[in-house]
Each structure stands twice: as structure tokens, then as C-alpha cells.
Amino acid sequence: MSIEIANESGVDVDTDAVLAVARHALDEMGVNPLAELSVLLVDIEYMTELNHRWMGGDGPTDVLAFPMDEGSVDHGPGESAPAGGEPALLGDIVLCPEVAAKQAAAAGHTAADELHLLTVHGVLHLLGYDHAEPEEEREMFGLQARLLASWRSTRSR
């Protein structure tokens, strides 16, 4: 699994933990081991620009997910590897640590915990999950909680 991470946010972030939680979520979801993912951490100004340009939103958001080629995504062990063994480009996850820190304070947990949650949230979006409808939201958020709990249990060993 190839995961690239770039921290351009100006905030000190444990990028190893962000990589680890992303890798755990992808492994648990049965994503092809040849898959490639990019994670970018950005400042509030750039996240505001991305949110406006791509989502029509005002102000910064916490996470954006940009799927690459949905036809190349391996959604689980029931599917074979891409033709010729070429890596599937899952896409990009963009995180804003400053927004995550504000949300973490409001939720009563650490900024690191919020970034881990947002990373898993972004991975699930790249895999086609959404939360626009109540049933989709229950499924996605339940899966997100299970993935985070299983990741945390592997770290506490």
C-alpha cells in the first residue's frame, strides 16, 4: 500500500499516526495492496479555497476527499487486482489540522484523535461511502467508529 503524506499546514502533526490509521482502514476494508493514496495537510486559507472551489462551501472544512478513478478502486477481497497489476489510484484526502483542533476541543478529545477520525472518514469517502441520507450516515459512521476502535486497540498492545 503506497500512502504519500505532505504536511503543508504549518502545524506539527504526527504524520506517522495519520499514515498508520489510513493504512489500517484500507487493510480492514480489504483494499488492494497495490492501491495508492495521497494525504495532504493544509492551512485554513487553502482549505477554505478548496472547499469553495470543489464543494461550494463557505469557510474552511475539516476534510475533503477526492476520489481518482472509481473504476480502478478495489472495494474488497471479492474483486481481482487491476489489469496488469497496476496500482489503483484511490485519490486524495485533504485535512485541515487547525479546523480539526477546534472540533476536537468542542468534542472533548485531542486534536490527534480528531485527525485520525477525519482520516478514516476520508478513506471511507474514497471507497464510495457517503452520509447524505440517514441510512448512509448510520452505515458510514458505524463503520468509521469500528475502524477507529480496532486501530486504537492495535496501538494499545
Side-chain angles (χ1 to χ4, degrees):
M1 187 97 35
S2 172
I3 303 174
E4 300 278 329
I5 189 162
N7 185 356
E8 299 175 5
S9 69
V11 175
D12 187 28
V13 171
D14 181 354
T15 54
D16 289 343
V18 172
L19 285 173
V21 73
R23 178 165 280 118
H24 177 80
L26 293 167
D27 287 346
E28 290 294 308
M29 294 302 293
V31 172
N32 184 317
L34 296 177
E36 295 179 2
L37 170 67
S38 170
V39 180
L40 178 63
L41 294 100
V42 300
D43 62 18
I44 284 183
E45 185 179 327
Y46 191 57
M47 185 58 107
T48 299
E49 181 184 321
L50 290 174
N51 190 35
H52 178 72
R53 184 182 331 152
W54 297 105
M55 305 303 291
D58 288 327
T61 189
D62 49 6
V63 59
L64 290 170
F66 298 99
M68 283 299 190
D69 179 8
E70 293 201 24
S72 72
V73 174
D74 183 351
H75 291 278
E79 294 184 19
S80 59
E86 291 297 313
L89 299 174
L90 291 179
D92 302 318
I93 297 171
V94 183
L95 302 168
C96 186
E98 292 168 278
V99 173
K102 289 177 186 169
Q103 290 177 178
H109 55 243
T110 69
D113 285 341
E114 186 73 11
L115 279 173
H116 304 156
L117 180 151
L118 294 173
T119 300
V120 171
H121 190 86
V123 165
L124 291 175
H125 273 307
L126 292 181
L127 296 177
Y129 289 87
D130 200 1
H131 47 84
E133 300 296 326
E135 187 174 313
E136 294 173 334
E137 182 176 332
R138 275 191 301 280
E139 179 185 14
M140 183 175 178
F141 284 62
L143 183 54
Q144 178 177 289
R146 287 192 301 280
L147 289 168
L148 282 167
S150 67
W151 181 70
R152 287 182 183 128
S153 73
T154 64
R155 287 177 58 96
S156 63
R157 288 183 200 155

